[in-house]
Amino acid sequence: MKTFDLIIVGGCSAGLAAAINAKRLHPEMSVAVIEKLPRIGKKLLATGNGKCNLTNEYALNHEYVNRDFAQAAFDAYPPQKIVEFFGSTGLLCYADSEGRVYPESNTAASVVDALRFEIERLEIDVFCETPVTDIKKKSNGFLINNEFECKKLIITTGGKSSPPQGSDGSGFLLAKQLGHSVTKLYPALVPICASPEITKPMKGVRVRNVTLTLKGEKKIAQTRGEILFTDYGLSGIAAMELASQAQKYIDNVKEKPFTYIDFMPDMSYDDLVEYLKNLCKIKRFCKIDNLLTGFLPKAVGIAICKAAKLYNAEMRIDELKEKDFRQTAQKIKSFPLEVSGTKGFANAQVTSGGIKVGEIDLKTMQSKICPNLYFAGEIIDVDGGCGGFNLQWAWASGMLAGEVK
Ligand SMILES: Cc1cc2nc3c(=O)[nH]c(=O)nc-3n(C[C@H](O)[C@H](O)[C@H](O)COP(=O)(O)OP(=O)(O)OC[C@H]3O[C@@H](n4cnc5c(N)ncnc54)[C@H](O)[C@@H]3O)c2cc1C
């Protein structure tokens, strides 16, 4: 039997932050991390396209799911403290114009190394290739896999998203074993499946600055940013940020919502009509394929003309009528795609849903159901958008749990 004061199950973002904070604050405690993969921090290597967008300077203003619950962790460990924490491990960071914080090296491996070396320096025991499948509550602590014992336990096994990086949902079973309940789970920050017959001809085309409005019976959500057309629908940050809400609508209302793309969010409909009329003078001898190439990729322009029902490859721009400009402007401002689902947990960056926040003390991350049990990170029902917001939650909640108050 291997016995420790504190064991952390799950050795990635929240778990490593928890372990380091615990050992720094309580050097007398014996601390161990149990990780099912052959190495700790594997998911971090894939974050931020390999650069690891590790927090966001504006996270305190960000709308998370269960924001009120998360506030105490953010008060204790705001983005600036997270940057200082990494600074204390020797890792320097910079922020871009949107507040997204990256390691100065621009490589996620530096973040994993910083955590790994600090774990080694603090002499925290790490057991890799050790999937936890069973946890029993005992009078004086916990028995894990009939192999480990501890007085205090932090579970940081993540959600169900991106299973090759380790988070396969097994942590939810462990939480249930200890008396907790879990909300319905949805893949979040994941590409959406939407009108493939329309998007397929635009496959691989990116549009930089659009708004997407998700609507069912009424407006559900709106995002702004980049989209990428694919053969199944839409990827890109603006689309991925709508995914969990689209899936929730489909599951609850049993209908498919639409997402409406506004390709010119900074121009009003009337100004756009005038602009198109002016374009007609400039390009009057061109074929209709080229009508919108001054501000949109050609394939997108063709799709808009088709949606506006004025597409005929041989048609010349000077054949367009007043109503054609109005119809084209309308489709530029509101291009509809029917959303049929998402690319699922396998392709999701985050899981929306998790252990119910009402069962956890927000000031300590300790279970209200099982004393000396703590949770942190994505396993809890808190999630945010793209931009470093989910790692901010993982570090902040991990460090708070690591205080083991
Ligand atoms: C491709 C990708 C890119 C991303 N990019 C960003 C980004 O740039 N910025 C951002 O803020 N967020 C990003 N995220 C989200 C972010 O990585 C997660 O929100 C965050 O890592 C969650 O941290 P966690 O520690 O709670 O869970 P995880 O990081 O998922 O870690 C859970 C750990 O527990 C281990 N584990 C699971 N079950 C068991 C078990 N039964 N026994 C033992 N060990 C177990 C897993 O192997 C894993 O190591 C990205 C996610 C993905 C998939």
Side-chain angles (χ1 to χ4, degrees):
M1 189 66 64
K2 301 177 186 83
T3 303
F4 295 90
D5 296 317
L6 170 67
I7 286 181
I8 293 116
V9 177
C12 198
S13 326
L16 299 179
I20 290 169
N21 214 30
K23 191 68 185 173
R24 284 181 176 181
L25 293 172
H26 310 282
E28 74 292 351
M29 273 176 41
S30 55
V31 179
V33 174
I34 306 181
E35 166 58 47
K36 72 179 231 202
L37 295 180
R39 56 178 298 180
I40 53 173
K42 184 174 176 214
K43 187 186 278 183
L44 281 168
L45 296 174
T47 56
N49 286 325
K51 283 166 52 178
C52 186
N53 175 195
L54 55 89
T55 183
N56 191 300
E57 287 179 331
Y58 306 121
L60 299 184
N61 299 324
H62 184 66
E63 278 182 39
Y64 287 82
V65 172
N66 286 319
R67 166 83 228 194
D68 291 351
F69 173 82
Q71 191 59 46
F74 290 156
D75 286 345
Y77 297 99
Q80 185 52 40
K81 275 233 167 132
I82 301 305
V83 171
E84 284 167 22
F85 166 75
F86 278 104
S88 75
T89 69
L91 187 87
L92 296 183
C93 298
Y94 73 92
D96 71 8
S97 58
E98 290 179 51
R100 293 180 291 223
V101 176
Y102 294 92
E104 195 66 48
S105 67
N106 258 339
T107 159
S110 300
V111 179
V112 178
D113 283 347
L115 295 166
R116 201 162 51 87
F117 295 144
E118 188 63 3
I119 291 270
E120 279 174 25
R121 186 185 74 80
L122 293 168
E123 297 180 350
I124 294 168
D125 287 272
V126 175
F127 300 88
C128 285
E129 293 187 281
T130 310
V132 172
T133 53
D134 180 60
I135 303 178
K136 288 192 180 68
K137 176 86 182 106
K138 297 181 7 175
S139 56
N140 56 346
F142 302 88
L143 175 65
I144 301 171
N145 285 2
N146 280 323
E147 192 188 343
F148 298 89
E149 274 180 337
C150 60
K151 294 186 194 115
K152 291 176 186 275
L153 172 65
I154 307 179
I155 300 184
T156 56
T157 44
K160 265 181 85 168
S161 47
S162 202
Q165 322 289 344
S167 46
D168 58 2
S170 55
F172 296 122
L173 302 178
L174 300 173
K176 283 180 183 167
Q177 201 183 347
L178 294 165
H180 278 273
S181 37
V182 174
T183 67
K184 193 162 167 38
L185 305 172
Y186 291 93
L189 302 188
V190 59
I192 56 177
C193 305
S195 302
E197 69 290 353
I198 298 173
T199 62
K200 201 169 182 178
M202 296 182 272
K203 179 181 174 181
V205 174
R206 280 178 195 278
V207 188
R208 192 178 52 84
N209 177 24
V210 305
T211 59
L212 286 186
T213 305
L214 186 70
K215 279 190 196 159
E217 285 149 0
K218 49 189 182 180
K219 180 172 159 182
I220 304 167
Q222 189 170 63
T223 57
R224 184 164 179 160
E226 183 178 271
I227 52 169
L228 168 66
F229 288 97
T230 67
D231 51 1
Y232 54 80
L234 289 179
S235 185
I237 290 175
M240 288 163 62
E241 287 188 329
L242 288 181
S244 61
Q245 293 177 82
Q247 192 60 57
K248 282 175 196 170
Y249 184 84
I250 292 168
D251 285 6
N252 295 334
V253 184
K254 311 281 180 231
E255 269 177 23
K256 293 176 187 165
F258 276 80
T259 182
Y260 295 88
I261 308 172
D262 182 347
F263 289 104
M264 293 292 276
D266 296 323
M267 198 183 274
S268 72
Y269 168 79
D270 288 337
D271 287 350
L272 194 53
V273 173
E274 288 313 306
Y275 174 72
L276 291 176
K277 284 184 189 165
N278 194 38
L279 265 189
C280 177
K281 288 180 203 148
I282 301 167
K283 296 185 164 184
R284 62 183 183 282
F285 298 118
C286 296
K287 296 259 171 62
I288 200 158
D289 285 10
N290 296 304
L291 176 65
L292 307 179
T293 50
F295 62 96
L296 281 173
K298 189 167 179 176
V300 177
I302 292 173
I304 289 170
C305 290
K306 281 184 177 161
K309 299 204 177 357
L310 51 88
Y311 189 71
N312 160 358
E314 293 312 309
M315 194 172 169
R316 272 185 7 184
I317 289 175
D318 60 2
E319 294 173 55
L320 295 175
K321 309 273 183 313
E322 171 77 22
K323 78 163 182 12
D324 297 329
F325 295 122
R326 297 203 163 278
Q327 269 167 231
T328 308
Q330 199 274 331
K331 293 299 173 198
I332 292 171
K333 295 293 290 172
S334 185
F335 186 84
L337 297 172
E338 189 183 50
V339 183
S340 56
T342 75
K343 293 298 276 179
F345 285 107
N347 298 291
Q349 290 195 5
V350 173
T351 301
S352 185
I355 296 173
K356 291 187 176 165
V357 294
E359 297 176 355
I360 299 169
D361 177 359
L362 57 86
K363 292 211 168 70
T364 61
M365 297 291 133
Q366 184 167 189
S367 162
K368 290 180 181 171
I369 291 172
C370 180
N372 296 318
L373 169 66
Y374 300 75
F375 295 101
E378 205 176 307
I379 192 170
I380 303 175
D381 182 13
V382 173
D383 64 283
C386 280
F389 301 109
N390 289 296
L391 280 174
Q392 167 62 30
W393 165 244
W395 312 125
S397 57
M399 292 178 79
L400 185 57
E403 291 181 6
V404 284
K405 278 193 211 141

